[in-house]
């Protein structure tokens, strides 16, 4: 990979849907995730809704905006059905084609992030199927994911804008399973389908990563100047021996670090508490692991419970049954001080590594006029920049 530090942003909720980021897309249904949305809409309505969303949510103008903020890269979550071969879901490779053309026009790089897998690799709503985590137990579906990775490499491997391909997003491992509390936080619609749901073992994940690397570089033909990116499975310290393998060329470890997870780990919900946790935990962690592999923080943001005025219990919203604050508890200046502080401490911590991608570029949730969403505007980088919370010149 290039030695230039990456300052980027995620284009989440474009090609992989997340209900909380655009609730209107799920209107008229009880679906909480992408798996069930097409089962509750007429096929023509579903297709029109998805195609309109994709055409309007991200356009050329957004790439121009991202460039104007001084950022250098976008991480684009894509679904396992990107190639349109898993009905009833609608493929989206044409949209990714457009993204590459826009990125090359504006001088941005792209990290393709395979964000979902059939029967889910994590059980999260953003994994496409809430409360189910069985993908790793299904050899045919594991193989299917490998073929998706190969096809992505074959299609985009020589594109100038391609920074790399991330093998799979946020596999929910034995390190994270209990704290994520998947089966309670993300209730499965179909208990029978969810039967056997459980965490992914690190030995299995490391074997899969090696297979994926070989398939990307081999059948996929991914050139060595393009990176293969691996998510840490929520345990950044698992990987030292793995990356000592001389076969691995131009690889990156992706870690996702959110203040809401720091809260779950006991971080006090105060500006001072966040700053201390980031300085004493995140910064040395990134610095240590960067000694043996380039590390990017592929997802992070300014969101925290102090800014919401209530304990969000690890980032749970009104959609999870949590009651948000009825009104702002902080003044505009107090919010600015809080967010500028956590922005500075986190960006300083991430500077110990190879790059960072903010989550997220935008969300469509109206946090002003919709009750219960106080503080959730901090997930939207554009709103953060507009309110002077996030520095656009932090290179």
């Amino acid at each position: 990979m290039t030695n230039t530090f990456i300052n980027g942003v995620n284009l989440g909720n474009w090609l992989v849907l997340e209900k909380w980021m655009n609730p209107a897309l799920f209107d008229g249904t009880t679906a909480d995730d992408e798996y069930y949305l097409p089962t509750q809409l007429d096929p023509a309505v579903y297709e029109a809704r998805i195609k309109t969303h994709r055409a309007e949510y991200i356009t050329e103008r957004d790439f121009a905006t991202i460039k104007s903020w001084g950022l250098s890269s976008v991480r684009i979550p894509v679904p396992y059905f990107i190639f349109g071969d898993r009905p009833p879901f609608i493929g989206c490779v044409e949209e990714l084609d457009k993204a590459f053309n826009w990125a090359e026009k504006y001088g941005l790089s792209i990290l393709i992030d395979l964000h979902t897998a059939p029967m889910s690799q994590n059980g999260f709503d953003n994994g496409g199927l809430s409360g189910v985590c069985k993908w790793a137990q299904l050899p045919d579906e594991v193989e299917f994911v490998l073929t998706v990775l190969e096809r992505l490499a074959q299609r985009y491997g020589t594109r100038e804008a391609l920074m790399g391909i991330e093998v799979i997003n946020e596999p929910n491992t034995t390190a994270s399973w209990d704290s994520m509390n998947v089966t309670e936080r993300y209730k499965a619609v179909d208990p029978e389908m969810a039967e056997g749901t459980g965490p992914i073992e690190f030995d299995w994940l490391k074997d899969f990563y090696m297979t994926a690397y070989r398939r990307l570089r081999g059948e996929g033909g991914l050139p060595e100047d393009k990176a293969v990116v691996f998510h840490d499975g929520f345990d950044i310290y698992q990987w030292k021996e793995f990356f000592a393998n001389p076969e691995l060329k131009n690889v990156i470890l992706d870690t996702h670090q959110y203040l809401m997870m720091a809260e779950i780990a006991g971080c006090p919900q105060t500006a001072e508490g966040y700053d201390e946790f980031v300085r004493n935990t995140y910064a040395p962690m990134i610095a240590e692991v960067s000694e043996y592999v380039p590390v990017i923080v592929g997802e992070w943001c300014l969101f925290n419970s102090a800014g919401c005025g209530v304990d969000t219990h690890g980032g749970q919203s009104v959609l999870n049954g949590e009651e948000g604050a009825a009104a702002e508890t902080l003044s505009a200046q107090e919010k600015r001080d809080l967010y500028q502080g956590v922005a500075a401490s986190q960006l300083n911590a991430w500077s110990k590594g190879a790059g960072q991608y903010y989550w997220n570029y935008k969300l469509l949730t109206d946090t002003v006029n919709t009750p219960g969403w106080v503080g959730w505007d901090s997930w939207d980088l554009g709103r953060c920049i507009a309110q002077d919370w996030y520095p656009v010149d932090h290179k």
Side-chain angles (χ1 to χ4, degrees), residues 198-323:
I200 294 173
E201 300 283 344
F202 274 103
D203 285 348
W204 185 93
L205 186 61
K206 289 171 183 176
D207 284 345
F208 172 73
Y209 279 178
M210 280 308 305
T211 301
Y213 177 86
R214 289 169 181 147
R215 296 276 287 266
L216 281 165
R217 295 283 189 226
E219 289 90 332
L222 187 68
E224 281 189 7
D225 65 337
K226 309 297 186 183
V228 178
V229 181
F230 303 104
H231 184 267
D232 66 4
F234 302 103
D235 185 355
I236 196 171
Y237 292 112
Q238 271 281 341
W239 300 95
K240 189 170 186 177
E241 209 171 287
F242 179 82
F243 287 109
N245 185 339
E247 182 183 344
L248 296 171
K249 304 280 198 305
N250 193 6
V251 289
I252 299 172
L253 184 64
D254 176 20
T255 190
H256 297 172
Q257 302 295 343
Y258 285 110
L259 294 175
M260 62 187 182
M261 303 312 297
E263 293 172 1
I264 289 176
C267 171
Q269 296 179 11
T270 64
E272 300 75 25
Y274 299 134
D275 181 63
E276 190 171 315
F277 191 94
V278 170
R279 280 189 294 108
N280 296 334
T281 303
Y282 288 161
M285 176 182 77
I286 300 293
E288 179 184 338
V289 179
S290 294
E291 292 292 316
Y292 51 90
V293 63
V295 176
I296 58 170
V297 181
E299 293 185 20
W300 72 284
C301 69
L302 304 186
F303 176 83
N304 59 72
S305 290
C308 294
V310 295
D311 186 346
T312 65
H313 301 106
Q316 297 190 67
S317 73
V318 291
L319 296 180
N320 304 105
E322 292 286 334
E323 205 168 306

Side-chain angles (χ1 to χ4, degrees), residues 13-17 22 25 34 46-60 62 77-84 88-96 98 102 362 364:
N13 193 51
W14 181 29
L15 306 180
V16 175
L17 304 183
N22 185 7
L25 206 52
E34 197 153 12
Y46 170 66
E47 182 172 353
R49 196 176 284 194
I50 292 295
K51 290 194 168 177
T52 300
H53 162 77
R54 289 174 180 168
E56 295 178 350
Y57 190 76
I58 296 293
T59 67
E60 178 185 351
D62 297 299
V78 300
Y80 64 87
F81 51 82
I82 182 171
F83 290 104
F89 308 108
I90 299 166
C92 49
V93 74
E94 293 85 1
E95 285 81 0
L96 192 56
K98 288 179 182 177
W102 293 329
K362 66 190 282 192
L364 296 185

Side-chain angles (χ1 to χ4, degrees), residues 95-117:
E95 285 81 0
L96 192 56
D97 287 347
K98 288 179 182 177
F100 270 89
N101 295 336
W102 293 329
E104 286 168 0
K105 175 176 177 179
Y106 291 99
L108 298 171
S109 68
I110 290 177
L111 170 56
I112 302 173
D113 151 44
L114 185 57
H115 211 72
T116 67

